[in-house]
Every structure is written in C-alpha cells, then in structure tokens.
Amino acid sequence: MTALEVLLFSLFNGILYGLLLFMLSSGLTLIFSMMGILNFAHASFFMLGAYFAYQISKYVGFWPALIFAPLIVGVVGALIERYGLRPVHKFGHVAELLLTFGLAFVIEEVVQMIWGKAPVPYEIPQSLKFPAFNWLGLDYSAYRVFMVLISVAIFVGLYAFIKRTRVGLIIQAALSHPGIVGTLGHNVPRIFMLVFGFGSGLAGIAGVLGGNALGTEPAMAIQLGTIVFVVIVVGGLGSLGGALIASIFIGILTNIAVSYDISFRGFFMALGVSKDAVGVGSDLVNMTSAGISPILPYLLLVLMLIVRPRGLFGKRDV
Amino acid sequence: MIFQKIGAGLLGLAMAGALTLPAVAQEPVRVGMIEPFSGPVAQIGIEVYESAQFMADRINAGGGVLGGRPLVIVRFDNAMNAEKTTQQVKKAIDEGIRFISQGVGSNHALNIIKQLEKHNKRNPEKSVLYLNHSAVTTAFTNELCSFWHFRFDANVDMKVAGLATQMGRDPNVKRIYMINQNYAYGKSFQAIARIMIAQRTSAELVGDDLIVPFGKVLDFTPYVAKIKSADADTVLTGNWGADMVRLVKATADAGLDVQFYSIYGGLPVSINGYGIEAGMAVRMKQITEMHLNDYQQDELTPIMAAYLAKYGHTWYGDRQRLIWEMFAKALNKAGSDDPVAVAYALEGMTHPGPNGEIWMRAEDHQIHFPLVVSTLDDRAPRKIVYEKQNLGVGWKTDGWVSREDLTLTTTCDMKRPT
C-alpha cells in the first residue's frame, strides 16, 4: 500500500468502525438527552439483542430476528423503566444510576443461566455473506455495508424524529418542563417509558447486527460497556450529532494508530529513558501507537473532561 | 476448630462410604481445584472440573489410591481474579488440603507457586504440592522453577517449537505474520517464536504485532489490512478468547488467503465463537498432545466415549487424563499422601501416553510428550461435539513432532527440601 492508500484506508475503515460505534451508543445518548438517565445497563441491552437474535434466527432466520429481537429488547426496557426506574425516579439521578448499574449484573447472570457461559454460534446470514466490493485486496462483505446503512438510517431517522416532528418536540419539552407538558394533557411518565423502551430497542438493533460480527458471549457487555460512554461523553452528553462525530473520530483515531504504528522510542529517549532500560523503561521505549490504540479513546475521554467537560456538542457539563 | 471441621467432614465421608462402598471407606485424598467457576470465563473452569471429576470417578471405580482411598476433587472458585486465587489457596490449606490443582491463567499460577514456596518453607511438616495442568508460561520451569510445582502441559516454548517444526515442513509457509496479546504469555510466545522461526523454518517473518489483550480490540480490520499488505501467507498467533475469535472473523470476512497456526485456536469454545465457516476459511491449525482422530492408545476410545456420553463434550485435552493417572501412580509409588514423597515419586516418572511414553523431567518438573499439529477439517472421520451439538468438523493431522524435538534445555536450578 502506498502512503496515500494507507491514509485513505484508515479514514474509510475508521468511518465504518465509527458508524458501528455510533449504532452502539445512539440509544444511550437518546435516553440521556430525553430523560437525563445515564444508563449503565445499555451494553447489557445490546447483549440481550444479540442473544435474542441468535435464538430467533435459529428457528426462523435472520430477517425476522432483525425485527423481533429489538422489539423484545424494547419491551424489556420499557418494563424496566415502568417497574424499576419510575419508582426510584423521585430519589434522584444517583438512585437511577445505581439501579441501572445493578441491572447490568442481573442481566449478565440471567444470560448465563439461559444460554450458558460459553459463546454461542450466532453467525452472519448467508444471504449477506458475499463480498460487496474489494478494495486494496480486502473484501468488504455485504453485511458490513448493510450495517453502515442501518447506522446511517438510525442517525437520520432519530434526528428527524426529535427535531422535526411534533412528538419529538413534546418529548424534549417533557424533559425540561414536565409539569407544563403534563398540564397540557400529555402523559409524561408514559412518554418516559416509551423513550426508554425505544432507546433500549436501539441497543437491541446494534446487538442483532454487532453480535455476529464481534462474537456473542456473556462478557460482551462488559467489553463494550465502557467504549459507549467514551463516545457520548466526548460527543457531548445527550447530543446525537456529537455522538456521531465522536464515534467516527474514535474510529479513525484507532485505525490510524494501528495502520501507521508510530513508535514512541524517540520521544521517551529524549525524555532520558535509555534504550537498554529494563522493566517499565523498556515497555515505554518499545511502546507503539498500535499497541495502545484501544486505550486512545479513554485518553481522549480524560483529555476532553479536563479541557471541555461538556464534550464536543454538549449543552451542559458532565 | 480446623480439626473439628476436618473431623466432621471425615465422619460424614466415612458414613457415606459405609453406606455405599465399604471397601473405600477410608480417608480420601483431597485435591483443591482452584479455577474460575463464576464470571465471564467460568466455562473454561467448569470444563476442567468436569474432566477432573470424570477421571477421579474412574480411578475410584478402579479401587482408588493407596489401597482403597478415594480421590476427591474439591472446587474453589477464583472468579478469574488472581488475588482471590491466593485467598482460595489459603482456604484450601486451612481445610487441610495438601494438593492443589490449577491451570487457567499463568498469573494465578505464579501466585500459587510463590505462595507455596513461602508456606512450605515455614510449615515443612504441612507442605502442599501444586499440580499445574495448563498454565504454560515457560518461566515456571525455568528461572521461577519450584520443587512444589509440576507442569503436565507443554510450555509455550515447546508448543511454539512444535509449531515451528511443522511450519518448516509446510511448503505453503513462506511469509509469517505474528499477532500476540501484550501480556506475559503473549510476549513469551513472541520472543520464542522469533528464535524458533529462524532455527526451524526457512520462512520470513513479515509482521510482528502485539495487541492490547482480553477483548479490548473490537475492530481487527486494520490488522487484517496489515497482514494483507505484508503479503503474508501464514498467521502465527497465541491469541485466545475474544482476541482469537474476532481476529479469525475479521480475516475470513475480508476474504484473505492465509492459514492460521495457533496454540488455542482449536479450543471447542473458540470454534463455537468464530464459527466453522470462518475456521475452515483460515485453515485453522492447532498444536495438542493428541486429537480425536489421531492417537495410538486403544484404551482412550472407551474413555472418550464415556466422557462424551456423560458431559456432552468431545474429550479435548488428554493431559486432563494424564495428570490424574500420573498423580494416582505417584501416590501409590510413594506409599503415602505426603506431598514431599509424592513429588519425589513424580520426578522422572514415565507413563504410557496417547502416542508413546511420556516423561516428567526431574530437572524442572516439566512434562514431555510428542505433540501433533492438526487442521480443522469437515471431512475428518470423527467430529467435535460441544455442548451436545455436533459441530460438523474434526481434526486432521498435519504432522507429529517427536518428544526429542520438543526437549529444550532448562535454566532451572531446583532447590529440593532436605
């Protein structure tokens, strides 16, 4: 690959990966912007989506699973809001946060009880397994293209729904002025329940599409739980556009870090670390950007919190 | 208080024994098994326990050890937390257990080795022996070697040496790309592989990456692109778990024409994760002490059938049989359950293995047996069964690596109790 090709590849692949990240975090940012709840169990809904899709696709195939798995996850989410979050709402956001935190553990245990502790063989549907195009010698499967399309559709659909429709306006108003919206005859608790269910359903869609690409196992929620928080904090809590840009930025950042594999040897040697150092010193001298690429988003998170606590497009501080 | 507990336990066992099997109504030989039985990787611990329990049942059905004493496996859950392993070792010792078995995770193994060194020095009359079935960090039988530790699995150096020997025979291996996990095990794989590739193959090492381990990498596409642009024909990796599953999925998804040489790519739990189609596409190869389509020991056939019928899994690691057979043999040879006597009995022991004699080297307490490199194959006669599901693939032998080719020098300077 030439230098230009490496750059183009990193940008392109970074965008693909970023769109997957956006799909993962869209539901979380929606729930936060509409309800102010930081849902720690978001990745668990993602996991439920993957397991439901595995179970459904075993009997009736992938396409019905794509419809029904997110619906079931959405219903589960709505029920949790109705019977879990709503009663603790009056105790404030800390109580809600703790509830979702505990919920993540409960969901993991339930998943292990039903589907066991081993990964389940949830695979990409045959109908989308063919390579859609080939670039620089790598096949890009139709399934990846499909994932990108869904992700873009989620962004456009959500954006239009919240900003352009009457229902979206009522939902927004219900967050900032629940009393007035209630007086106007809208059932505010029911709006919250539907929003939470809808956000969970979005996590479910991501689970259906991501579960077979990343592997469906009980540890997947823990592995993905942190990265979605990076996305929404960097993008600005509650900002849909911010989440999209942060996702793509993180995608490109990690891709460039791996593709270019920059060595920090010169940097640390300039700081006085000997090239023959042992222990921590040798780790520093031999560190490369590829080796730390999965850590970069977290570094970005810390930097963002120091420099601009509200994130890229956030309207309030964390 | 401890004695009361043991007393009560013994009484219970003696009564249970009296009711069922009067012949073995003697004090059991207890082994504390410390593995993850809860948490995200509990599946591995559960499968290890099942095979140990299966072997204990077999040995007990054949009359037990030391003239009729039963072998009892006692579970201790470490939840894959190395700190907890240390606590559980202490708990096992407090319960009067003198033999510990563990294998999942070399950081746990390291804690046990260090802890027992200390404990046994302070309490020579209550020493404890550690039977390691799978923790493969080579240092445990080199500079960190201990009289109280015995390893019943080939170490990383031996497995990589075996893979390199087979790669040297394989005309399709010309350009090798290495990917490993950036922690003690992955780095030791990398270090020895550089040496072995140079010594045992004429192939070129065209890439050498360390990744952040344990499922932190979600998107392997940039690595796949690097493999492609390095024009590699072979990927050599020590990865396991999600790091293996995602690498295989991404490589197969990009339609790359490469083959995989691995240590852990063949674990049934991994095959289940990346899927048969992807595994076949990358021609997944593994190195083991035997596989279900290749062993010479006839008595293994009924053992494998009985295990499959009972637990719904194909017998995978034969060392899970060998460790208990050798332990029982050592107890009988020593004529007592004194860990020091058992350790001396194990030193230099030979035992019939799946393919010829196996040998526990006294110098460093490292087991030696031939290893076989095999490829995932859907036309193999016997297929892998996992969680009662027939996966539709089995293993086909590429080649055997002799015990001599795997006997490497050790730097161990063993301190034996006087």
Side-chain angles (χ1 to χ4, degrees):
Chain A
M1 276 200 268
T2 64
L4 182 68
E5 280 175 340
V6 174
L7 180 68
L8 286 177
F9 170 81
S10 301
L11 291 176
F12 176 69
N13 200 59
I15 292 170
L16 289 194
Y17 175 52
L19 285 169
L20 175 67
L21 283 182
F22 172 74
M23 193 156 62
L24 287 174
S25 43
S26 60
L28 184 64
T29 199
L30 176 80
I31 289 173
F32 184 81
S33 66
M34 296 290 117
M35 303 172 66
I37 296 175
L38 207 45
N39 181 13
F40 264 101
H42 188 73
S44 308
F45 288 115
F46 165 80
M47 173 160 78
L48 280 181
Y51 272 98
F52 288 155
Y54 159 71
Q55 200 63 48
I56 296 169
S57 62
K58 231 167 105 175
Y59 297 108
V60 288
F62 174 78
W63 298 106
L66 182 60
I67 309 283
F68 289 110
L71 280 178
I72 301 171
V73 177
V75 169
V76 171
L79 289 175
I80 284 170
E81 199 283 333
R82 174 66 188 82
Y83 297 103
L85 285 167
R86 197 180 298 179
V88 304
H89 182 70
K90 56 180 174 288
F91 301 112
H93 284 327
V94 174
E96 291 171 336
L97 196 127
L98 288 175
L99 185 105
T100 61
F101 189 72
L103 192 65
F105 291 98
V106 173
I107 292 177
E108 185 185 311
E109 283 304 318
V110 169
V111 162
Q112 290 196 6
M113 266 190 255
I114 299 174
W115 287 282
K117 294 167 195 284
V120 294
Y122 173 40
E123 295 210 35
I124 290 168
Q126 286 296 337
S127 51
L128 286 176
K129 234 174 183 171
F130 62 93
F133 61 97
N134 183 301
W135 188 45
L136 299 173
L138 296 189
D139 285 345
Y140 288 84
S141 63
Y143 189 72
R144 289 191 72 175
V145 177
F146 180 68
M147 269 164 60
V148 166
L149 292 178
I150 295 280
S151 184
V152 172
I154 287 175
F155 175 73
V156 174
L158 268 184
Y159 196 83
F161 176 71
I162 294 168
K163 300 282 179 194
R164 296 279 177 268
T165 67
R166 216 181 126 70
V167 183
L169 288 177
I170 293 167
I171 293 174
Q172 284 191 32
L175 176 69
S176 50
H177 305 91
I180 297 172
V181 175
T183 323
L184 287 171
H186 297 290
N187 186 345
V188 174
R190 207 183 75 186
I191 291 175
F192 280 176
M193 183 178 86
L194 291 177
V195 168
F196 196 86
F198 189 67
S200 310
L202 283 177
I205 295 181
V208 178
L209 293 168
N212 45 14
L214 296 171
T216 303
E217 55 172 319
M220 68 195 288
I222 298 173
Q223 288 168 0
L224 290 163
T226 46
I227 190 82
V228 291
F229 278 97
V230 177
V231 168
I232 69 158
V233 171
V234 171
L237 282 175
S239 163
L240 203 59
L244 180 71
I245 288 171
S247 303
I248 290 177
F249 182 71
I250 289 170
I252 292 174
L253 182 72
T254 48
N255 264 277
I256 285 183
V258 174
S259 300
Y260 283 91
D261 208 359
I262 302 151
S263 169
F264 299 119
R265 178 181 287 259
F267 175 71
F268 283 110
M269 277 165 68
L271 285 182
V273 183
S274 155
K275 70 177 192 308
D276 304 317
V278 288
V280 179
S282 109
D283 284 344
L284 287 178
V285 171
N286 292 322
M287 191 167 79
T288 64
S289 64
I292 57 164
S293 69
I295 311 298
L296 290 178
Y298 302 99
L299 197 64
L300 187 69
L301 170 75
V302 173
L303 286 179
M304 187 58 89
L305 287 175
I306 294 170
V307 179
R308 191 179 157 84
R310 62 182 52 188
L312 288 175
F313 296 93
K315 293 191 184 71
R316 56 193 143 169
D317 285 348
V318 175
Chain B
M1 196 196 106
I2 292 165
F3 290 103
Q4 271 177 0
K5 234 194 228 171
I6 296 171
L10 289 180
L11 193 65
L13 276 159
M15 282 164 65
L19 289 172
T20 53
L21 271 175
V24 284
Q26 296 184 44
E27 190 191 351
V29 176
R30 290 178 299 156
V31 181
M33 171 166 270
I34 303 171
E35 298 292 1
F37 296 115
S38 66
V41 290
Q43 182 66 22
I44 303 173
I46 291 166
E47 285 172 32
V48 167
Y49 171 72
E50 284 173 354
S51 48
Q53 187 56 50
F54 176 77
M55 284 310 298
D57 288 345
R58 257 180 72 82
I59 289 165
N60 295 341
V65 290
L66 293 168
R69 291 172 60 180
L71 204 57
V72 171
I73 312 284
V74 186
R75 285 197 288 181
F76 294 89
D77 179 16
N78 65 17
M80 210 59 203
N81 172 347
E83 196 57 40
K84 193 125 185 247
T85 291
T86 306
Q87 292 167 13
Q88 293 291 39
V89 170
K90 193 165 178 315
K91 192 172 167 210
I93 293 172
D94 283 349
E95 289 180 16
I97 286 173
R98 309 288 297 273
F99 300 97
I100 301 274
S101 178
Q102 184 273 346
V104 182
S106 278
N107 47 342
H108 298 249
L110 180 63
N111 280 7
I112 299 176
I113 290 172
K114 285 184 173 167
Q115 194 177 357
L116 291 187
E117 276 285 336
K118 225 182 273 174
H119 172 85
N120 291 351
K121 196 177 276 173
R122 288 176 190 162
N123 310 281
E125 74 295 344
K126 279 194 239 159
S127 55
V128 176
L129 193 64
Y130 168 31
L131 311 165
N132 167 6
H133 59 79
S134 301
V136 292
T137 299
T138 310
F140 300 161
T141 48
N142 268 345
E143 65 269 23
L144 293 174
C145 74
S146 159
F147 177 77
W148 308 106
H149 163 258
F150 283 85
R151 172 153 47 206
F152 293 82
D153 191 5
N155 62 43
V156 179
D157 287 17
M158 295 163 75
K159 290 186 186 203
V160 173
L163 287 171
T165 305
Q166 184 56 34
M167 289 196 294
R169 297 169 185 154
D170 184 343
N172 297 320
V173 179
K174 294 192 190 75
R175 299 171 65 81
I176 301 170
Y177 200 105
M178 257 207 307
I179 293 186
N180 284 294
Q181 295 156 306
N182 194 0
Y183 75 109
Y185 154 71
K187 284 204 248 185
S188 70
F189 185 111
Q190 183 190 41
I192 188 70
R194 285 177 182 166
I195 298 168
M196 286 296 166
I197 287 171
Q199 281 180 2
R200 300 194 178 190
T201 76
S202 53
E204 195 187 338
L205 187 62
V206 295
D208 192 352
D209 276 328
L210 287 176
I211 61 154
V212 179
F214 316 134
K216 295 279 192 313
V217 179
L218 298 178
D219 178 24
F220 271 92
T221 321
Y223 289 101
V224 175
K226 283 171 90 177
I227 296 169
K228 175 72 193 175
S229 65
D231 197 22
D233 50 40
T234 302
V235 174
L236 175 63
T237 177
N239 284 13
W240 55 269
D243 295 333
M244 184 56 141
V245 167
R246 288 181 196 151
L247 175 62
V248 172
K249 277 189 177 227
T251 310
D253 196 41
L256 236 58
D257 183 28
V258 289
Q259 53 178 353
F260 267 60
Y261 273 82
S262 79
I263 291 184
Y264 294 120
L267 289 174
V269 62
S270 298
I271 300 176
N272 220 25
Y274 56 66
I276 291 120
E277 222 170 304
M280 295 283 294
V282 301
R283 285 162 280 160
M284 178 59 74
K285 294 173 199 297
Q286 60 162 2
I287 184 159
T288 47
E289 55 275 18
M290 54 74 92
H291 63 81
L292 78 167
N293 289 307
D294 196 354
Y295 52 86
Q296 291 165 1
Q297 221 176 359
D298 288 336
E299 61 175 283
L300 205 46
T301 310
I303 292 177
M304 289 168 69
Y307 182 76
L308 179 61
K310 181 152 189 198
Y311 293 106
H313 294 291
T314 294
W315 188 246
Y316 182 75
D318 201 35
R319 57 178 183 274
Q320 308 292 1
R321 169 179 67 110
L322 302 171
I323 183 171
W324 300 112
E325 285 185 359
M326 286 178 79
F327 178 55
K329 194 166 158 182
L331 281 166
N332 291 334
K333 191 175 154 199
S336 89
D337 62 357
D338 172 37
V340 180
V342 174
Y344 277 116
L346 274 171
E347 284 195 335
M349 178 184 277
T350 56
H351 188 74
N355 274 278
E357 188 186 70
I358 64 176
W359 167 51
M360 178 58 79
R361 184 157 74 179
E363 242 180 306
D364 58 350
H365 295 185
Q366 169 63 54
I367 204 162
H368 285 75
F369 39 43
L371 291 175
V372 59
V373 178
S374 53
T375 307
L376 205 60
D377 187 7
D378 57 1
R379 285 159 309 182
R382 291 198 200 109
K383 308 279 198 271
I384 301 161
V385 176
Y386 187 69
E387 304 261 274
K388 300 191 177 75
Q389 301 268 327
N390 188 328
L391 297 187
V393 282
W395 296 103
K396 197 183 81 188
T397 297
D398 292 312
W400 279 88
V401 186
S402 70
R403 209 176 86 183
E404 288 68 38
D405 278 341
L406 296 168
T407 306
L408 309 172
T409 51
T410 174
T411 60
C412 171
D413 175 22
M414 186 78 73
K415 307 249 182 323
R416 291 183 169 76
T418 44

